[in-house]
Amino acid sequence: MERIPAYEGKCIGYTHLGVGIFLSPSFEGRILVSGMVPGDEGFVEISYKRAGNCFGKIKKLTALSKDRIVPACPVHTSCGGCLFQNVSYERQLGFKKELVESQLKRVDGLSFSLEDTVPSIPNTGIRNKVQVPFGRDRKGRLVYGFYKELSHEIVPYPDCVNADPRANAILSKVHDAAMRTGLAPYDERNESGELRHAIVRTSRFYDEKMLTIVTKDRDFPEKEEFFDLIAASLGKADHLIHNINGKSTNVILGSEEEVIYGTPYLRDRLLGKEFLISSRSFYQTNPYIAEKVYETVREELELSGEETVLDAYGGIGTIGIVLSDKAKEVISVENVCQATLDARKNAELNGVRNFEAVCLDVGEALEKMAKDGKKIDVAVLDPARRGCGRFACEKILELAPAKIAYVSCSPMSLAKDLDVLKDNYFIRLVKPFDMFPFTPHVETVVILSRK
Ligand SMILES: C[S@@+](CC[C@H](N)C(=O)[O-])C[C@H]1O[C@@H](n2cnc3c(N)ncnc32)[C@H](O)[C@@H]1O
């Protein structure tokens, strides 16, 4: 067998995705090594080349980075979920600040000063949503876990250290129920089997959990016994939803749902406001940091009570409802209609009367507002990872709110959007938050004022 050469060298930094950059005097160019910590020295083997990059894996470490720690999770290198399990928390926070800085510095003429990353306290056992696929391992045993990086092979995990422990306990009950009833996992290769995914959401404030089970069909022979077993292990305030997804797709949830136990809503409380969350609506996954992000937006916008506030990408209305006490009116725009219905319910639940939620694409809604001459004093933009995009940013320029709070989960798309907004707005604040501990992802709040 041909021997794979190993190169000796040092990890000198991270890519923007948190992958170690390894340099060796005997290799031209860089080798990207997942799980290598800047400062590590040793031998690396090349695994594959893709899109002009060389990817490698650690063969042997000869000197350890001072930032390296013992990972709490045994499968962190294979499951691809928490790349930073082996990095000190301080270094993780530093990486996130540097990432935001490096991305924003790529924008010509953007002037800003950057605060330190706000840590998540606590930073383990906090993730309020866990979704896992079910499948079989090489020995044919029923397993659940996370997909291995770039594959559909499931890395089984018994207890995710980042997840709320109540979610881990529920997933193990789902596994038991499937084993006892002989419910087969879905196999995408031949579209056989039933059980596709289990998703657990937990409330931080209440002792409530919501379990969504995704199967291929609405009815299957094991259904009644399987759901009875699971329901028997849930608490009084919990919820069990059956989602049906018969499509051959990577999209997890199907469009059809039935409530098996409890109600269609999980309840939680943030900053003293009550929220109902249905299974298909977005909800921030780290409630500790979500509160800090919302608080920062509220404080930095310094609303007087006279403003019309646009809450774009509003989800279930969280930010808009938190701001509603200090605004004349709030208009929330969201394109998942179930989330819009949740937002309306949430406004009612909190006795908020100056809040309107519309189900529309943000670009379309902004275009209509600009055409109608609607006056927006303050805009909150909290888009998904791909950002707002040029069209929506140009419509914001037309509407010209005096202040903008941009809440971003991707410094890359944030930089692109700020490039469009920069001629008309000053940046008053850039503050990274550790919404996703032990991963390379970062949430950033940027406050802008019209020039
Ligand atoms: C990052 S979440 C923020 C939700 C909410 N602000 C919060 O803090 O919970 C982004 C939201 O934007 C919605 N969304 C994504 N693209 C959209 C678009 N083009 N128009 C309207 N809403 C969109 C998603 O469904 C999701 O609810």
Side-chain angles (χ1 to χ4, degrees), residues 208-211 227 230-232 234-242 258-267 277:
E208 263 190 46
K209 287 96 69 190
M210 174 182 272
L211 168 63
F227 281 128
I230 294 177
L234 295 175
K236 264 195 192 139
D238 293 341
H239 316 275
L240 175 55
I241 313 291
H242 178 203
E258 55 179 345
V259 179
I260 303 282
Y261 179 86
T263 77
Y265 301 104
L266 178 76
R267 251 182 339 155
I277 310 134

PDB file of all heavy atoms in Angstrom, residues 208-211 227 230-232 234-242 258-267 277:
ATOM      1  N   GLU A 208     -41.079  22.943  30.282  1.00  0.00           N
ATOM      2  CA  GLU A 208     -41.865  22.511  29.113  1.00  0.00           C
ATOM      3  C   GLU A 208     -40.932  22.106  28.001  1.00  0.00           C
ATOM      4  O   GLU A 208     -39.902  22.766  27.778  1.00  0.00           O
ATOM      5  CB  GLU A 208     -42.707  23.687  28.589  1.00  0.00           C
ATOM      6  CG  GLU A 208     -44.108  23.689  29.075  1.00  0.00           C
ATOM      7  CD  GLU A 208     -44.980  24.712  28.353  1.00  0.00           C
ATOM      8  OE1 GLU A 208     -44.931  24.812  27.130  1.00  0.00           O
ATOM      9  OE2 GLU A 208     -45.719  25.412  29.070  1.00  0.00           O
ATOM     10  N   LYS A 209     -41.313  21.060  27.288  1.00  0.00           N
ATOM     11  CA  LYS A 209     -40.531  20.623  26.142  1.00  0.00           C
ATOM     12  C   LYS A 209     -41.484  20.357  24.982  1.00  0.00           C
ATOM     13  O   LYS A 209     -42.643  20.000  25.215  1.00  0.00           O
ATOM     14  CB  LYS A 209     -39.816  19.285  26.431  1.00  0.00           C
ATOM     15  CG  LYS A 209     -38.652  19.360  27.373  1.00  0.00           C
ATOM     16  CD  LYS A 209     -38.979  19.027  28.800  1.00  0.00           C
ATOM     17  CE  LYS A 209     -39.320  17.608  29.118  1.00  0.00           C
ATOM     18  NZ  LYS A 209     -39.844  17.454  30.513  1.00  0.00           N
ATOM     19  N   MET A 210     -40.977  20.508  23.770  1.00  0.00           N
ATOM     20  CA  MET A 210     -41.764  20.137  22.590  1.00  0.00           C
ATOM     21  C   MET A 210     -40.943  19.149  21.760  1.00  0.00           C
ATOM     22  O   MET A 210     -39.802  19.434  21.405  1.00  0.00           O
ATOM     23  CB  MET A 210     -42.088  21.356  21.739  1.00  0.00           C
ATOM     24  CG  MET A 210     -42.771  20.978  20.430  1.00  0.00           C
ATOM     25  SD  MET A 210     -43.092  22.409  19.387  1.00  0.00           S
ATOM     26  CE  MET A 210     -44.687  22.916  19.988  1.00  0.00           C
ATOM     27  N   LEU A 211     -41.562  17.996  21.494  1.00  0.00           N
ATOM     28  CA  LEU A 211     -40.887  16.998  20.679  1.00  0.00           C
ATOM     29  C   LEU A 211     -41.627  16.889  19.349  1.00  0.00           C
ATOM     30  O   LEU A 211     -42.839  16.687  19.324  1.00  0.00           O
ATOM     31  CB  LEU A 211     -40.905  15.649  21.408  1.00  0.00           C
ATOM     32  CG  LEU A 211     -40.500  14.418  20.596  1.00  0.00           C
ATOM     33  CD1 LEU A 211     -39.056  14.503  20.132  1.00  0.00           C
ATOM     34  CD2 LEU A 211     -40.698  13.153  21.429  1.00  0.00           C
ATOM     35  N   PHE A 227     -46.127   6.234  19.502  1.00  0.00           N
ATOM     36  CA  PHE A 227     -46.454   7.528  20.095  1.00  0.00           C
ATOM     37  C   PHE A 227     -46.951   7.375  21.540  1.00  0.00           C
ATOM     38  O   PHE A 227     -46.690   8.235  22.381  1.00  0.00           O
ATOM     39  CB  PHE A 227     -47.464   8.286  19.233  1.00  0.00           C
ATOM     40  CG  PHE A 227     -46.821   8.954  18.032  1.00  0.00           C
ATOM     41  CD1 PHE A 227     -47.309   8.768  16.755  1.00  0.00           C
ATOM     42  CD2 PHE A 227     -45.714   9.773  18.190  1.00  0.00           C
ATOM     43  CE1 PHE A 227     -46.707   9.381  15.660  1.00  0.00           C
ATOM     44  CE2 PHE A 227     -45.101  10.391  17.104  1.00  0.00           C
ATOM     45  CZ  PHE A 227     -45.602  10.185  15.834  1.00  0.00           C
ATOM     46  N   ILE A 230     -43.923   7.118  23.760  1.00  0.00           N
ATOM     47  CA  ILE A 230     -43.241   8.416  23.930  1.00  0.00           C
ATOM     48  C   ILE A 230     -44.070   9.325  24.835  1.00  0.00           C
ATOM     49  O   ILE A 230     -43.548   9.933  25.779  1.00  0.00           O
ATOM     50  CB  ILE A 230     -42.999   9.098  22.572  1.00  0.00           C
ATOM     51  CG1 ILE A 230     -42.016   8.267  21.752  1.00  0.00           C
ATOM     52  CG2 ILE A 230     -42.426  10.486  22.766  1.00  0.00           C
ATOM     53  CD1 ILE A 230     -41.776   8.814  20.370  1.00  0.00           C
ATOM     54  N   ALA A 231     -45.368   9.403  24.554  1.00  0.00           N
ATOM     55  CA  ALA A 231     -46.228  10.305  25.340  1.00  0.00           C
ATOM     56  C   ALA A 231     -46.176   9.939  26.818  1.00  0.00           C
ATOM     57  O   ALA A 231     -46.196  10.820  27.691  1.00  0.00           O
ATOM     58  CB  ALA A 231     -47.657  10.251  24.812  1.00  0.00           C
ATOM     59  N   ALA A 232     -46.064   8.648  27.104  1.00  0.00           N
ATOM     60  CA  ALA A 232     -46.026   8.205  28.508  1.00  0.00           C
ATOM     61  C   ALA A 232     -44.781   8.719  29.221  1.00  0.00           C
ATOM     62  O   ALA A 232     -44.760   8.830  30.455  1.00  0.00           O
ATOM     63  CB  ALA A 232     -46.073   6.682  28.565  1.00  0.00           C
ATOM     64  N   LEU A 234     -43.455  11.733  28.635  1.00  0.00           N
ATOM     65  CA  LEU A 234     -43.438  13.206  28.657  1.00  0.00           C
ATOM     66  C   LEU A 234     -44.134  13.749  29.903  1.00  0.00           C
ATOM     67  O   LEU A 234     -44.967  13.066  30.506  1.00  0.00           O
ATOM     68  CB  LEU A 234     -44.135  13.753  27.411  1.00  0.00           C
ATOM     69  CG  LEU A 234     -43.455  13.448  26.065  1.00  0.00           C
ATOM     70  CD1 LEU A 234     -44.316  13.944  24.906  1.00  0.00           C
ATOM     71  CD2 LEU A 234     -42.073  14.087  25.993  1.00  0.00           C
ATOM     72  N   GLY A 235     -43.813  14.974  30.244  1.00  0.00           N
ATOM     73  CA  GLY A 235     -44.459  15.616  31.389  1.00  0.00           C
ATOM     74  C   GLY A 235     -45.801  16.210  30.992  1.00  0.00           C
ATOM     75  O   GLY A 235     -46.116  16.301  29.798  1.00  0.00           O
ATOM     76  N   LYS A 236     -46.560  16.668  32.005  1.00  0.00           N
ATOM     77  CA  LYS A 236     -47.915  17.209  31.766  1.00  0.00           C
ATOM     78  C   LYS A 236     -47.914  18.397  30.819  1.00  0.00           C
ATOM     79  O   LYS A 236     -48.826  18.576  30.027  1.00  0.00           O
ATOM     80  CB  LYS A 236     -48.492  17.677  33.112  1.00  0.00           C
ATOM     81  CG  LYS A 236     -49.377  16.648  33.759  1.00  0.00           C
ATOM     82  CD  LYS A 236     -50.187  17.320  34.858  1.00  0.00           C
ATOM     83  CE  LYS A 236     -50.851  16.256  35.694  1.00  0.00           C
ATOM     84  NZ  LYS A 236     -50.820  16.528  37.107  1.00  0.00           N
ATOM     85  N   ALA A 237     -46.868  19.240  30.940  1.00  0.00           N
ATOM     86  CA  ALA A 237     -46.848  20.479  30.152  1.00  0.00           C
ATOM     87  C   ALA A 237     -46.143  20.322  28.819  1.00  0.00           C
ATOM     88  O   ALA A 237     -45.935  21.301  28.098  1.00  0.00           O
ATOM     89  CB  ALA A 237     -46.157  21.560  30.965  1.00  0.00           C
ATOM     90  N   ASP A 238     -45.762  19.102  28.464  1.00  0.00           N
ATOM     91  CA  ASP A 238     -44.995  18.911  27.227  1.00  0.00           C
ATOM     92  C   ASP A 238     -45.909  18.779  26.000  1.00  0.00           C
ATOM     93  O   ASP A 238     -47.131  18.672  26.141  1.00  0.00           O
ATOM     94  CB  ASP A 238     -44.103  17.665  27.350  1.00  0.00           C
ATOM     95  CG  ASP A 238     -43.018  17.876  28.391  1.00  0.00           C
ATOM     96  OD1 ASP A 238     -42.746  19.049  28.721  1.00  0.00           O
ATOM     97  OD2 ASP A 238     -42.459  16.879  28.894  1.00  0.00           O
ATOM     98  N   HIS A 239     -45.282  18.757  24.848  1.00  0.00           N
ATOM     99  CA  HIS A 239     -46.033  18.718  23.588  1.00  0.00           C
ATOM    100  C   HIS A 239     -45.375  17.720  22.635  1.00  0.00           C
ATOM    101  O   HIS A 239     -44.141  17.680  22.549  1.00  0.00           O
ATOM    102  CB  HIS A 239     -46.039  20.101  22.925  1.00  0.00           C
ATOM    103  CG  HIS A 239     -46.315  21.199  23.897  1.00  0.00           C
ATOM    104  ND1 HIS A 239     -47.580  21.574  24.260  1.00  0.00           N
ATOM    105  CD2 HIS A 239     -45.472  21.963  24.646  1.00  0.00           C
ATOM    106  CE1 HIS A 239     -47.511  22.535  25.161  1.00  0.00           C
ATOM    107  NE2 HIS A 239     -46.237  22.791  25.423  1.00  0.00           N
ATOM    108  N   LEU A 240     -46.212  16.956  21.941  1.00  0.00           N
ATOM    109  CA  LEU A 240     -45.694  15.979  20.979  1.00  0.00           C
ATOM    110  C   LEU A 240     -46.365  16.236  19.635  1.00  0.00           C
ATOM    111  O   LEU A 240     -47.593  16.173  19.517  1.00  0.00           O
ATOM    112  CB  LEU A 240     -45.992  14.563  21.489  1.00  0.00           C
ATOM    113  CG  LEU A 240     -45.631  13.395  20.582  1.00  0.00           C
ATOM    114  CD1 LEU A 240     -44.164  13.414  20.168  1.00  0.00           C
ATOM    115  CD2 LEU A 240     -45.941  12.062  21.288  1.00  0.00           C
ATOM    116  N   ILE A 241     -45.552  16.525  18.639  1.00  0.00           N
ATOM    117  CA  ILE A 241     -46.062  16.870  17.308  1.00  0.00           C
ATOM    118  C   ILE A 241     -45.583  15.805  16.330  1.00  0.00           C
ATOM    119  O   ILE A 241     -44.416  15.391  16.382  1.00  0.00           O
ATOM    120  CB  ILE A 241     -45.507  18.246  16.841  1.00  0.00           C
ATOM    121  CG1 ILE A 241     -45.621  19.314  17.934  1.00  0.00           C
ATOM    122  CG2 ILE A 241     -46.135  18.698  15.531  1.00  0.00           C
ATOM    123  CD1 ILE A 241     -47.002  19.762  18.272  1.00  0.00           C
ATOM    124  N   HIS A 242     -46.474  15.396  15.440  1.00  0.00           N
ATOM    125  CA  HIS A 242     -46.098  14.462  14.384  1.00  0.00           C
ATOM    126  C   HIS A 242     -46.050  15.243  13.078  1.00  0.00           C
ATOM    127  O   HIS A 242     -47.047  15.803  12.645  1.00  0.00           O
ATOM    128  CB  HIS A 242     -47.145  13.340  14.314  1.00  0.00           C
ATOM    129  CG  HIS A 242     -46.872  12.357  13.227  1.00  0.00           C
ATOM    130  ND1 HIS A 242     -47.853  11.569  12.677  1.00  0.00           N
ATOM    131  CD2 HIS A 242     -45.729  12.014  12.582  1.00  0.00           C
ATOM    132  CE1 HIS A 242     -47.319  10.792  11.744  1.00  0.00           C
ATOM    133  NE2 HIS A 242     -46.037  11.044  11.669  1.00  0.00           N
ATOM    134  N   GLU A 258     -49.624  16.994  12.826  1.00  0.00           N
ATOM    135  CA  GLU A 258     -50.743  16.740  13.744  1.00  0.00           C
ATOM    136  C   GLU A 258     -50.205  16.785  15.163  1.00  0.00           C
ATOM    137  O   GLU A 258     -49.053  16.411  15.423  1.00  0.00           O
ATOM    138  CB  GLU A 258     -51.417  15.384  13.431  1.00  0.00           C
ATOM    139  CG  GLU A 258     -50.466  14.201  13.422  1.00  0.00           C
ATOM    140  CD  GLU A 258     -51.166  12.878  13.126  1.00  0.00           C
ATOM    141  OE1 GLU A 258     -52.404  12.793  13.195  1.00  0.00           O
ATOM    142  OE2 GLU A 258     -50.456  11.900  12.847  1.00  0.00           O
ATOM    143  N   VAL A 259     -51.039  17.277  16.079  1.00  0.00           N
ATOM    144  CA  VAL A 259     -50.634  17.327  17.491  1.00  0.00           C
ATOM    145  C   VAL A 259     -51.045  16.005  18.122  1.00  0.00           C
ATOM    146  O   VAL A 259     -52.215  15.638  18.100  1.00  0.00           O
ATOM    147  CB  VAL A 259     -51.325  18.499  18.225  1.00  0.00           C
ATOM    148  CG1 VAL A 259     -50.921  18.526  19.701  1.00  0.00           C
ATOM    149  CG2 VAL A 259     -50.970  19.816  17.562  1.00  0.00           C
ATOM    150  N   ILE A 260     -50.087  15.285  18.685  1.00  0.00           N
ATOM    151  CA  ILE A 260     -50.392  13.982  19.299  1.00  0.00           C
ATOM    152  C   ILE A 260     -50.680  14.158  20.791  1.00  0.00           C
ATOM    153  O   ILE A 260     -51.496  13.453  21.379  1.00  0.00           O
ATOM    154  CB  ILE A 260     -49.189  13.013  19.122  1.00  0.00           C
ATOM    155  CG1 ILE A 260     -48.835  12.854  17.639  1.00  0.00           C
ATOM    156  CG2 ILE A 260     -49.417  11.672  19.804  1.00  0.00           C
ATOM    157  CD1 ILE A 260     -49.729  11.929  16.857  1.00  0.00           C
ATOM    158  N   TYR A 261     -49.981  15.130  21.413  1.00  0.00           N
ATOM    159  CA  TYR A 261     -50.094  15.304  22.866  1.00  0.00           C
ATOM    160  C   TYR A 261     -49.804  16.773  23.181  1.00  0.00           C
ATOM    161  O   TYR A 261     -48.916  17.372  22.574  1.00  0.00           O
ATOM    162  CB  TYR A 261     -49.039  14.391  23.520  1.00  0.00           C
ATOM    163  CG  TYR A 261     -48.948  14.432  25.018  1.00  0.00           C
ATOM    164  CD1 TYR A 261     -49.761  13.625  25.813  1.00  0.00           C
ATOM    165  CD2 TYR A 261     -48.017  15.255  25.643  1.00  0.00           C
ATOM    166  CE1 TYR A 261     -49.656  13.652  27.191  1.00  0.00           C
ATOM    167  CE2 TYR A 261     -47.908  15.275  27.035  1.00  0.00           C
ATOM    168  CZ  TYR A 261     -48.727  14.470  27.797  1.00  0.00           C
ATOM    169  OH  TYR A 261     -48.620  14.484  29.156  1.00  0.00           O
ATOM    170  N   GLY A 262     -50.553  17.366  24.085  1.00  0.00           N
ATOM    171  CA  GLY A 262     -50.314  18.774  24.457  1.00  0.00           C
ATOM    172  C   GLY A 262     -50.915  19.719  23.440  1.00  0.00           C
ATOM    173  O   GLY A 262     -51.963  19.451  22.853  1.00  0.00           O
ATOM    174  N   THR A 263     -50.229  20.824  23.191  1.00  0.00           N
ATOM    175  CA  THR A 263     -50.735  21.865  22.283  1.00  0.00           C
ATOM    176  C   THR A 263     -49.705  22.094  21.164  1.00  0.00           C
ATOM    177  O   THR A 263     -48.596  21.573  21.241  1.00  0.00           O
ATOM    178  CB  THR A 263     -50.925  23.202  23.054  1.00  0.00           C
ATOM    179  OG1 THR A 263     -49.627  23.790  23.235  1.00  0.00           O
ATOM    180  CG2 THR A 263     -51.576  23.005  24.413  1.00  0.00           C
ATOM    181  N   PRO A 264     -50.059  22.906  20.154  1.00  0.00           N
ATOM    182  CA  PRO A 264     -49.060  23.149  19.087  1.00  0.00           C
ATOM    183  C   PRO A 264     -47.980  24.163  19.488  1.00  0.00           C
ATOM    184  O   PRO A 264     -47.179  24.555  18.659  1.00  0.00           O
ATOM    185  CB  PRO A 264     -49.899  23.717  17.938  1.00  0.00           C
ATOM    186  CG  PRO A 264     -51.308  23.677  18.368  1.00  0.00           C
ATOM    187  CD  PRO A 264     -51.368  23.485  19.826  1.00  0.00           C
ATOM    188  N   TYR A 265     -47.983  24.621  20.732  1.00  0.00           N
ATOM    189  CA  TYR A 265     -47.046  25.689  21.133  1.00  0.00           C
ATOM    190  C   TYR A 265     -46.194  25.325  22.342  1.00  0.00           C
ATOM    191  O   TYR A 265     -46.701  24.807  23.345  1.00  0.00           O
ATOM    192  CB  TYR A 265     -47.812  26.962  21.511  1.00  0.00           C
ATOM    193  CG  TYR A 265     -48.649  27.495  20.397  1.00  0.00           C
ATOM    194  CD1 TYR A 265     -50.024  27.320  20.408  1.00  0.00           C
ATOM    195  CD2 TYR A 265     -48.059  28.155  19.330  1.00  0.00           C
ATOM    196  CE1 TYR A 265     -50.803  27.797  19.374  1.00  0.00           C
ATOM    197  CE2 TYR A 265     -48.835  28.638  18.288  1.00  0.00           C
ATOM    198  CZ  TYR A 265     -50.205  28.453  18.316  1.00  0.00           C
ATOM    199  OH  TYR A 265     -50.963  28.920  17.288  1.00  0.00           O
ATOM    200  N   LEU A 266     -44.926  25.702  22.267  1.00  0.00           N
ATOM    201  CA  LEU A 266     -44.053  25.686  23.443  1.00  0.00           C
ATOM    202  C   LEU A 266     -44.072  27.106  24.006  1.00  0.00           C
ATOM    203  O   LEU A 266     -44.092  28.071  23.241  1.00  0.00           O
ATOM    204  CB  LEU A 266     -42.622  25.322  23.006  1.00  0.00           C
ATOM    205  CG  LEU A 266     -41.572  25.307  24.113  1.00  0.00           C
ATOM    206  CD1 LEU A 266     -41.731  24.042  24.952  1.00  0.00           C
ATOM    207  CD2 LEU A 266     -40.154  25.355  23.540  1.00  0.00           C
ATOM    208  N   ARG A 267     -44.059  27.216  25.337  1.00  0.00           N
ATOM    209  CA  ARG A 267     -44.087  28.541  25.975  1.00  0.00           C
ATOM    210  C   ARG A 267     -42.721  28.866  26.521  1.00  0.00           C
ATOM    211  O   ARG A 267     -42.058  27.993  27.082  1.00  0.00           O
ATOM    212  CB  ARG A 267     -45.001  28.475  27.205  1.00  0.00           C
ATOM    213  CG  ARG A 267     -46.288  29.175  27.108  1.00  0.00           C
ATOM    214  CD  ARG A 267     -47.055  29.074  28.396  1.00  0.00           C
ATOM    215  NE  ARG A 267     -46.670  27.975  29.286  1.00  0.00           N
ATOM    216  CZ  ARG A 267     -46.842  27.972  30.597  1.00  0.00           C
ATOM    217  NH1 ARG A 267     -47.352  29.022  31.196  1.00  0.00           N
ATOM    218  NH2 ARG A 267     -46.514  26.935  31.339  1.00  0.00           N
ATOM    219  N   ILE A 277     -44.270  29.414  20.805  1.00  0.00           N
ATOM    220  CA  ILE A 277     -43.443  29.091  19.637  1.00  0.00           C
ATOM    221  C   ILE A 277     -44.005  27.817  19.023  1.00  0.00           C
ATOM    222  O   ILE A 277     -44.080  26.790  19.703  1.00  0.00           O
ATOM    223  CB  ILE A 277     -41.984  28.831  20.075  1.00  0.00           C
ATOM    224  CG1 ILE A 277     -41.476  29.970  20.970  1.00  0.00           C
ATOM    225  CG2 ILE A 277     -41.074  28.615  18.879  1.00  0.00           C
ATOM    226  CD1 ILE A 277     -40.768  29.508  22.195  1.00  0.00           C
TER     227      ILE A 277
END
